[in-house]
Amino acid sequence: MTQMKEKIASLLPAWRERVVRLLKEHGDTEVGPVKISQFYNGMRGVKCLTTDISYLDPFEGIRFRGFTIPETLEKLPRAPGAEMPYVEGHLYLLLTGEIPTDDQVEEVNKDLQKRGKVPGYVWDTLRALPKDTHPMTMFSIAIMALQKESVFVKKYNEGMSKFDYWDPMYEDAMNLFAKLHTMAAFIYRYKYKDGDIIEPDFSMDYGKNFAHMMGVATPYDELSRLYFILHSDHESGNVSAHTTHLVASALSDCYYSLSAGLNGLAGPLHGLANQEVLRWIQDLMNKMGTETPTVEQMKKFVWDTLKSGQVIPGYGHAVLRKTDPRYAAQRDFSLKHLPDDPIFKVVSMLYDIVPPILEEQGKAKNPWPNVDAHSGVIQWHYGVTEYDFYTVMFGVGRAMGVLPNIIWDRALGQAIERPKSLTLDMLEEIAGIKK
Ligand code: NMX
Ligand code: MLT
C-alpha cells in the first residue's frame, strides 16, 4: 500500500467518529432556512453539502485543504529548478489534507505510472467516432469505455462491507486519474494533429508528461502543472463536483460519476466558458479587423454582446464576489512568460473594461473575471489554438478534485442523494397566494 493510501486509512477512524458524534448529538440542529426564490435560482446559497477538500470564500476565493492558491503553489514540492509544483503533490494534499514530502510525491508518481497504460479498446472506441465529435464528448466516452475495469463493481458484486467501499473507490480513482492526461492528449493529437500520437513517457511527472504528449515545448509543462492544480476543486456545489458526487451517491463507480460530472463541465455556463472566451475574443478581433482593438471598440463589443441577450464569457460567478484568484495566478504566469502577447493585452484591457459595464448594466452580482477569462489566452500563446479542446484540460484538472471527494464520500458514509421537491401549487400555498 502506498503512503498516501495508508495515510487515508489512518485518518479515517477519527473522521468517522467526528461525523457519527455530530449526527448523533446535533443531527437536528438547523443550519439555515430555505427561501422560495432558491427553488428557482439554482439553489444559490442553500447550505446543504459538505466537503473538507476545499472551501470557497466569496471574497478570498478557493482554499485547498485550508491553503490559498499562493500558499499551495509555494508549499507543494517541485522538481529541482521547476517553477510550478508537482500535480502529484497536489493530489496527495487534496486526498490527505497534508503537504507531502518529496519521497511521498515520488511514490504517488510511481504509483500513477504503474496504473497509466490505457487499454487499446479505448483508442478503438475514440477512432470509431466521427472526427467532428466535440473533444469533451470524446473525453467522456473514453472514460465510460474504461468502466468495465471498475474494481468497485467487482468487489461490490462479490459482497463487501460498506465500511470498505472507499478502498476500491480509491483504486478506481487512481487507475482513472493515471490515464486521463494520456487520453486527453490522444484526443488532441488525434483530432487536430492528423492522428500523429505521441506516446507517454512515464519517467516524467504528470504535468511534464502531458506537455510531452501534447507535443508542446517547455514552459508548457510548467503551465500544465499550474493549470491542473488551479482547476482541481472549487468546493462541492459547482455543477461538475456536485454531479460527480450525486451520481457516486447511488454507488455508481467513479467512471460513471466522473463522466457525468464532466458532461456538466461541458456546459457554456460552466467549464465550456473557457472556449467561449477565446471564441468571443476572436470574434471581437475579426469584427474590428485588428489584433489590437481600441478601448472604444471593445466597449461597444461588450455592450453589443449584452444587448443581444448573451453573457460575457469568463465574467461573473455564482459564489465569488471578487476577481477569481485562479485568474490572478494565470495573470502572474502571463506577465512573466507572455507579457507582449496581443491576446493577453486584450484580456488585460477587458479586465478594465468589462466590470464597469456589467455594473452599469446592473444584473450580474459579480462583475469580476473568473478562471475561464484567462486560461485560453495562455494555451493560444503556446500554439494550442483549438479552443474546443480547452475544457478537456479543465476536466483533467477537475478530476483531481472530484475523485478525492467521492473517495471521502464513501469513507464517511454519505447517503444516496435525494432532496425533496414541491409543486408550484404547494409553493404558492406556502407563500399564502390565494387562487
Ligand atoms: N454577462 C452577462 N450577464 C451576466 C453575467 C455575465 N458574465 N453574469 C451574470 N449575468 C446575469 C445573469 O445571466 C443573470 O441574468 P438574468 O437575471 O437575466 O437571468 C443575472 O446577471 C444575475 O446572475 P448572477 O446571480 O450574477 O449569476 P449566476 O450565479 O446566476 O450565474 C454564472 C453565474 C457564472 C453562470 C454567470 O455569471 C455567467 O453566466 N457568466 C458567464 C459564463 C461564465 O463565465 N461561466 C464560467 C463560470 C466559471 N466556471 O468555470 O464554471
Ligand atoms: C468552478 O470552478 O467549478 C467554477 O468556478 C464554478 C463554480 O464554482 O460555481
Side-chain angles (χ1 to χ4, degrees):
M1 201 191 277
T2 60
Q3 296 176 69
M4 183 161 76
K5 192 171 177 190
E6 260 171 24
K7 173 58 80 181
I8 299 171
S10 74
L11 292 169
L12 264 181
W15 279 89
R16 281 182 174 154
E17 214 175 292
R18 284 173 65 192
V19 174
V20 168
R21 180 175 171 201
L22 182 73
L23 294 177
K24 196 165 157 217
E25 296 176 11
H26 303 279
D28 289 331
T29 303
E30 284 188 16
V31 177
V34 177
K35 295 184 191 146
I36 285 182
S37 58
Q38 290 169 317
F39 281 76
Y40 285 96
N41 73 3
M43 298 185 277
R44 204 69 82 256
V46 176
K47 297 187 180 85
C48 59
L49 293 166
T50 177
T51 175
D52 300 288
I53 290 175
S54 66
Y55 179 75
L56 182 62
D57 179 87
F59 296 96
E60 186 189 54
I62 196 69
R63 277 184 184 259
F64 302 118
R65 290 287 192 174
F67 296 115
T68 62
I69 287 172
E71 287 165 356
T72 305
L73 296 179
E74 194 235 299
K75 286 179 193 298
L76 286 175
R78 68 199 69 225
E83 191 182 338
M84 293 298 161
Y86 289 117
V87 167
E88 289 87 340
H90 190 56
L91 176 65
Y92 188 103
L93 170 67
L94 295 178
L95 269 166
T96 67
E98 292 180 14
I99 300 284
T101 61
D102 288 341
D103 175 47
Q104 286 161 337
V105 170
E106 173 76 11
E107 199 189 31
V108 177
N109 174 259
K110 291 269 167 312
D111 187 43
L112 292 176
Q113 284 171 15
K114 269 194 263 156
R115 300 168 187 264
K117 189 168 168 37
V118 179
Y121 64 80
V122 174
W123 308 142
D124 295 343
T125 305
L126 289 173
R127 286 198 173 100
L129 295 170
K131 261 276 177 68
D132 62 351
T133 304
H134 193 280
M136 276 304 274
T137 313
M138 290 183 162
F139 197 39
S140 186
I141 288 173
I143 292 168
M144 280 311 305
L146 278 171
Q147 189 276 334
K148 76 182 200 66
E149 308 291 337
S150 174
V151 180
F152 181 85
V153 169
K154 188 167 170 284
K155 298 272 181 198
Y156 187 84
N157 290 342
E158 285 167 8
M160 164 181 50
S161 158
K162 62 201 267 184
F163 291 103
D164 296 331
Y165 285 167
W166 74 273
D167 188 317
M169 196 67 153
Y170 175 96
E171 293 302 320
D172 277 351
M174 290 304 122
N175 287 339
L176 179 52
F177 184 67
K179 299 175 180 67
L180 288 177
H181 58 342
T182 307
M183 300 197 303
F186 177 95
I187 291 168
Y188 180 73
R189 304 281 312 180
Y190 170 67
K191 199 172 153 67
Y192 306 109
K193 302 290 170 192
D194 293 328
D196 179 14
I197 307 300
I198 302 174
E199 291 299 317
D201 180 344
F202 287 123
S203 71
M204 297 174 175
D205 63 85
Y206 200 92
K208 195 175 175 66
N209 197 4
F210 177 70
H212 156 74
M213 291 183 280
M214 289 288 288
V216 187
T218 196
Y220 194 72
D221 48 351
E222 300 288 5
L223 173 65
S224 302
R225 294 181 187 121
L226 175 69
Y227 191 101
F228 294 149
I229 290 171
L230 290 182
H231 287 80
S232 59
D233 210 30
H234 223 225
E235 66 172 37
S236 51
N238 65 75
V239 169
S240 48
H242 188 193
T243 308
T244 308
H245 161 81
L246 169 68
V247 175
S249 83
L251 296 189
S252 299
D253 59 61
C254 77
Y255 299 92
Y256 282 121
S257 310
L258 182 67
S259 169
L262 297 187
N263 292 346
L265 191 71
L269 295 186
H270 193 17
L272 206 79
N274 58 11
Q275 80 166 50
E276 293 303 290
V277 169
L278 252 285
R279 194 155 65 92
W280 185 73
I281 292 177
Q282 291 300 314
D283 198 25
L284 162 72
M285 289 173 160
N286 289 340
K287 285 215 170 97
M288 301 307 159
T290 169
E291 267 201 333
T292 52
T294 64
V295 170
E296 285 318 307
Q297 284 175 318
M298 286 193 203
K299 281 185 179 168
K300 181 175 170 341
F301 192 74
V302 173
W303 273 116
D304 287 349
T305 304
L306 291 174
K307 283 178 190 154
S308 67
Q310 298 170 68
V311 294
I312 308 299
Y315 280 76
H317 200 273
V319 178
L320 284 167
R321 292 296 175 259
K322 63 157 259 191
T323 297
D324 192 334
R326 298 172 297 179
Y327 175 99
Q330 295 182 97
R331 180 169 166 77
D332 289 347
F333 185 94
S334 305
L335 284 169
K336 180 164 175 203
H337 292 283
L338 45 133
D340 300 322
D341 183 287
I343 307 185
F344 173 54
K345 287 188 174 157
V346 171
V347 167
S348 301
M349 284 169 77
L350 288 168
Y351 183 70
D352 294 326
I353 290 168
V354 175
I357 295 183
L358 285 177
E359 272 172 347
E360 190 181 331
Q361 192 207 28
K363 276 169 69 169
K365 293 189 189 67
N366 175 39
W368 302 105
N370 60 57
V371 65
D372 295 322
H374 213 303
S375 48
V377 57
I378 318 182
Q379 295 296 331
W380 188 281
H381 179 82
Y382 291 113
V384 183
T385 54
E386 302 82 356
Y387 45 72
D388 281 10
F389 182 72
Y390 295 170
T391 314
V392 174
M393 291 183 281
F394 193 154
V396 176
R398 182 50 50 99
M400 190 170 28
V402 299
L403 293 173
N405 267 285
I406 58 177
I407 294 168
W408 276 93
D409 286 352
R410 291 288 73 81
L412 299 180
Q414 289 238 5
I416 183 166
E417 195 174 299
R418 201 338 181 161
K420 181 78 189 83
S421 55
L422 301 180
T423 65
L424 178 56
D425 277 345
M426 290 170 185
L427 290 173
E428 285 172 340
E429 199 180 315
I430 291 168
I433 293 173
K434 294 202 177 33
K435 284 184 275 174

